[in-house]
Amino acid sequence: MVVSFDTIQHSTLLGKIAKRIQDPQVMHLVKQVIKAAGKVGVPQGGPFSPLAANIYLNEIDWMFDEIRRKTAQGPYEAVNYHRFADDIVITVSGHHTKRGRAERALQRLREQLVPLGVELNTEKTIVVDTLKEGAFGFLGFDLRRVRKRAGNGHFVLMTPKKGSSAESVGESGCAASRVKPDSGTDRACDRLHQRNFVRTRR
């Protein structure tokens, strides 16, 4: 799922920042930065854009973390959520008792974005069943669940997208991945043995 930076509401963003920042000079600087994008949105391509997305979507992060904890059964998590700036992946258990949760998670996300004046990019928002060889992209990689050549079980194959900065890494399973530990891609790999993935972008 991808959320568009150009729909961020200035008043909402400034209100969220003001809850933590009381320095008027800093707030003035932030106002000057976001004004460069016009009446709505934030300038893209600079360091402020992902920071603005993190601030803007912080409450949604906490909401999905609460869902993760409520749906967990011991160490097993039925729903998980990964976000880097405006790129989001939601993983949902493929167990037959959890059918429909991927669609409900997507609907819940849409509902939470409405008060923020933000919409998902429908062209880049998909629901993927990895048990049926579905794949999805996240942070410059295509990820899919594949069967091991020898023995039982599966592993996660990460293939750099063509033309991405990650292309030089080459193909790798999560265990052998050269992606930085604790990165968004690395954490998403840990959940790939679940079934459904909602991949969104604003």
Side-chain angles (χ1 to χ4, degrees):
M1 294 177 264
V2 179
V3 187
S4 176
F5 286 127
D6 58 14
T7 57
I8 288 179
Q9 304 297 308
H10 291 180
S11 59
T12 303
L13 176 61
L14 290 170
K16 291 178 179 294
I17 295 174
K19 290 180 180 179
R20 297 291 186 93
I21 304 296
Q22 282 76 46
D23 189 324
Q25 291 184 330
V26 173
M27 292 302 299
H28 177 73
L29 178 60
V30 172
K31 291 177 183 178
Q32 295 303 309
V33 171
I34 63 178
K35 279 184 179 179
K39 293 183 179 180
V40 295
V42 295
Q44 298 192 36
F48 185 74
S49 296
L51 175 61
N54 286 340
I55 295 170
Y56 210 69
L57 300 178
N58 186 54
E59 292 174 7
I60 293 179
D61 296 348
W62 284 111
M63 180 201 71
F64 272 100
D65 187 63
E66 180 67 17
I67 292 174
R68 176 190 63 78
R69 288 187 284 110
K70 286 184 176 180
T71 57
Q73 297 175 322
Y76 178 74
E77 297 175 348
V79 178
N80 216 294
Y81 168 93
H82 314 272
R83 181 175 67 81
F84 184 85
D86 65 338
D87 211 347
I88 303 170
V89 171
I90 302 172
T91 62
V92 181
S93 169
H95 194 272
H96 68 87
T97 60
K98 308 298 191 296
R99 288 176 182 169
R101 286 199 177 184
E103 290 75 14
R104 290 200 295 274
L106 180 56
Q107 180 60 32
R108 186 70 178 276
L109 178 61
R110 284 196 174 107
E111 292 171 355
Q112 295 300 311
L113 291 175
V114 169
L116 299 176
V118 170
E119 295 182 354
L120 296 177
N121 184 325
T122 55
E123 293 182 359
K124 297 181 179 180
T125 298
I126 58 174
V127 178
V128 176
D129 187 342
T130 58
L131 295 187
K132 295 182 179 179
E133 300 183 354
F136 67 95
F138 188 52
L139 304 184
F141 289 87
D142 283 322
L143 295 91
R144 68 179 66 247
R145 179 177 179 267
V146 299
R147 184 176 295 278
K148 293 179 179 179
R149 293 180 180 178
N152 298 323
H154 297 77
F155 70 99
V156 176
L157 180 68
M158 295 195 331
T159 307
K161 286 180 174 292
K162 187 175 181 179
S164 74
S165 60
E167 190 170 14
S168 62
V169 175
E171 295 184 359
S172 65
C174 280
S177 171
R178 287 169 57 188
V179 177
K180 291 181 180 179
D182 299 325
S183 69
T185 303
D186 199 45
R187 288 194 299 274
C189 284
D190 293 338
R191 310 298 172 190
L192 251 176
H193 296 288
Q194 301 178 83
R195 179 178 182 180
N196 296 308
F197 289 79
V198 180
R199 197 271 184 179
T200 76
R201 202 162 190 175
R202 287 184 309 176

